[in-house]
Amino acid sequence: MDSEQAPATVGNERLHLLLNAHGNRLLRSAYLLCGNLTEAEDLVQETLLQAILSADQFRGESEVYTWLHGILLNKSRRYWRGRKRFLTAADQATLEVAIEDNVQNPGDREYVSRQIASAVRALSAEQREVIVLRFYENFKIAEIAHRTGVSPGTVKSRLHYALRLLEARVPPELNHFTSTGT
Amino acid sequence: MGDNAMNCSSFTERIPDYVDDALPDEQMAAMREHAGGCPSCTRALERHKLLGEALRESLKHEAQSISIRPSMVARLQSELEKQATHRRTKAREASVLSWRTWNWIGATMAAGLVGAMIFLISTSDHANRQSNGRGPRAIADSELRDGHTVDIPYLTFIRIAEEHHGRYQDLLVEAEGHIHFESPSWPSSMGQTAKPISPTSK
């Protein structure tokens, strides 16, 4: 009887280890990638289950989080390929409800952050992916290229266009990063 | 625009790598040199850095309120238990399948053995019907008697006798037991003249 319960016990131990060490970070990244908390939880759930069931395949060549994030990224990309859509107005409304916004002062840094985040959510899946990997996960261009399976040139191109769009979409009065520019 | 080894277009293209400090030393130096003489590219570089900082802060702020909820942990545990149960069921099915497979193998081998025995018996019966109805088995029955020790396997004797059929003069059969067997003309007079001389020992 004990031996029959062993897999579940081992799985639970692995689950709690992974959740304690990387759960929140992974969920936050998933949320930024897909823009929806419920779907982010689903992605992380699938990621952790796959990681627990295939833990023997982890060769220790990278950090555990990097390995987990690779699984998450694959699931996120599959999710977007399946959905083939950008964030809809309804999703935007859901997000606005999910994140309580009690800061209305345009000069407030928090307010600016939220405006920028909204602009990021409005990007295409590929552009948002490169922005999240670059500025949230702090991956270098070569790492992003490796993880997304495209060339460094393609990564730089996506990054360039995503940044141009963000510059254009953030309201000018909040656009501190271009006010010093041309 | 700085008019040196690097133009504005290649400078702009390499800004992300420059920020990553991922360019070869000479290109890093060329970037610095170009930026030093090109206000436009200097602003582009500065804008890239500022936008990056704003994005880092924004994304961090956006995500910081997100954390794993107990309901999600419960779902995960439930799913793990479900998968463990599924694996146990699969393992049992595989075990039963394996048992059945061995049963099949055992039954097949038993059938093969029975078949082989039937074949051997029928072969020996066929041999007995040779030589005008008086085959080696009948000869052995009639000749190897009267206290002679016949402890070779009977079928072995028959097989050896058949192998020498038609050219038998002096047949020495030595097997588990030791039997001298003499016949001037076998098989024509096999039944009449062949006789065991004596049991011998080597």
Side-chain angles (χ1 to χ4, degrees):
Chain A
M1 191 67 185
D2 285 347
S3 62
E4 286 190 348
Q5 288 177 339
T9 308
V10 171
N12 270 326
E13 285 173 6
R14 287 175 177 172
L15 172 64
H16 284 100
L17 280 172
L18 293 177
L19 276 176
N20 289 335
H22 309 290
N24 284 340
R25 187 179 171 193
L26 206 59
L27 180 63
R28 287 166 186 168
S29 194
Y31 171 72
L32 293 173
L33 283 169
C34 76
N36 179 291
L37 182 55
T38 305
E39 285 162 353
E41 285 184 335
D42 287 345
L43 288 176
V44 171
Q45 181 170 316
E46 289 176 23
T47 298
L48 290 174
L49 284 174
Q50 182 174 327
I52 289 164
L53 295 176
S54 62
D56 298 338
Q57 294 172 16
F58 177 61
R59 297 175 185 174
E61 292 167 353
S62 62
E63 290 181 8
V64 174
Y65 178 77
T66 308
W67 174 59
L68 290 173
H69 196 271
I71 300 173
L72 172 68
L73 201 56
N74 282 334
K75 296 199 174 294
S76 167
R77 290 160 73 83
R78 196 175 305 158
Y79 162 78
W80 280 109
R81 276 199 299 273
R83 296 288 293 265
K84 288 281 183 192
R85 61 128 172 87
F86 300 128
L87 211 58
T88 64
D91 293 326
Q92 290 275 16
T94 305
L95 281 168
E96 294 305 322
V97 170
I99 301 170
E100 188 184 351
D101 188 358
N102 54 9
V103 181
Q104 295 298 329
N105 179 5
D108 193 295
R109 292 175 69 86
E110 205 172 313
Y111 180 72
V112 175
S113 280
R114 290 192 177 168
Q115 291 298 315
I116 295 172
S118 289
V120 171
R121 284 199 298 271
L123 294 173
S124 72
E126 287 178 345
Q127 289 170 337
R128 184 162 62 251
E129 182 182 78
V130 77
I131 290 290
V132 171
L133 293 179
R134 175 75 171 168
F135 298 110
Y136 185 71
E137 296 296 343
N138 291 316
F139 289 141
K140 294 186 175 184
I141 296 295
E143 287 178 282
I144 298 171
H146 176 68
R147 292 180 155 271
T148 55
V150 297
S151 70
T154 302
V155 172
K156 281 189 275 189
S157 172
R158 286 178 184 170
L159 181 64
H160 175 78
Y161 285 107
L163 292 176
R164 296 288 80 76
L165 278 172
L166 290 174
E167 281 181 323
R169 286 175 181 173
V170 174
E173 67 272 20
L174 305 178
N175 198 337
H176 303 305
F177 39 85
T178 55
S179 61
T180 57
T182 53
Chain B
M1 176 175 88
D3 184 18
N4 48 32
M6 181 169 289
N7 59 33
C8 292
S9 173
S10 55
F11 181 92
T12 306
E13 185 188 327
R14 291 172 187 169
I15 282 178
D17 289 324
Y18 180 73
V19 172
D20 282 349
D21 198 17
L23 292 170
D25 289 346
E26 62 273 20
Q27 287 191 25
M28 291 293 286
M31 290 286 284
R32 282 191 294 271
E33 187 180 345
H34 180 87
C38 179
S40 171
C41 285
T42 302
R43 281 196 297 274
L45 176 61
E46 189 65 19
R47 199 164 63 242
H48 183 95
K49 288 180 178 175
L50 283 170
L51 184 51
E53 286 170 17
L55 278 164
R56 282 191 184 91
E57 188 178 335
S58 170
L59 294 175
K60 187 179 173 186
H61 180 268
E62 175 83 349
Q64 70 183 6
S65 61
I66 306 290
S67 57
I68 300 286
R69 297 188 291 191
S71 58
M72 182 183 161
V73 179
R75 280 205 307 277
L76 270 164
Q77 285 174 327
S78 167
E79 188 61 33
L80 272 176
E81 181 58 43
K82 204 183 300 178
Q83 295 202 6
T85 305
H86 178 69
R87 282 201 305 280
R88 283 199 295 270
T89 307
K90 283 279 184 190
R92 282 199 199 100
E93 285 174 1
S95 170
V96 169
L97 184 66
S98 172
W99 181 78
R100 284 181 182 156
T101 305
W102 279 111
N103 273 356
W104 272 106
I105 291 171
T108 307
M109 287 177 70
L113 277 171
V114 169
M117 288 176 69
I118 290 170
F119 173 76
L120 285 171
I121 289 168
S122 66
T123 305
S124 64
D125 286 345
H126 175 73
N128 279 339
R129 288 193 294 271
Q130 301 299 311
S131 194
N132 296 324
R134 190 173 165 76
R137 182 170 187 166
I139 297 165
D141 279 340
S142 62
E143 302 294 337
L144 298 177
R145 62 179 188 271
D146 298 333
H148 293 294
T149 302
V150 182
D151 56 356
I152 61 167
Y154 198 62
L155 289 175
T156 302
F157 168 75
I158 291 167
R159 179 174 54 76
I160 293 170
E162 284 183 326
E163 283 171 2
H164 291 77
H165 184 270
R167 51 190 171 83
Y168 178 82
Q169 292 302 320
D170 296 306
L171 176 64
L172 175 65
V173 178
E174 290 186 357
E176 294 173 12
H178 308 289
I179 303 161
H180 284 283
F181 214 58
E182 213 174 46
S183 171
S185 55
W186 205 25
S188 60
S189 57
M190 195 171 180
Q192 289 72 35
T193 60
K195 61 174 183 177
I197 293 177
S198 65
T200 63
S201 61
K202 288 185 85 174

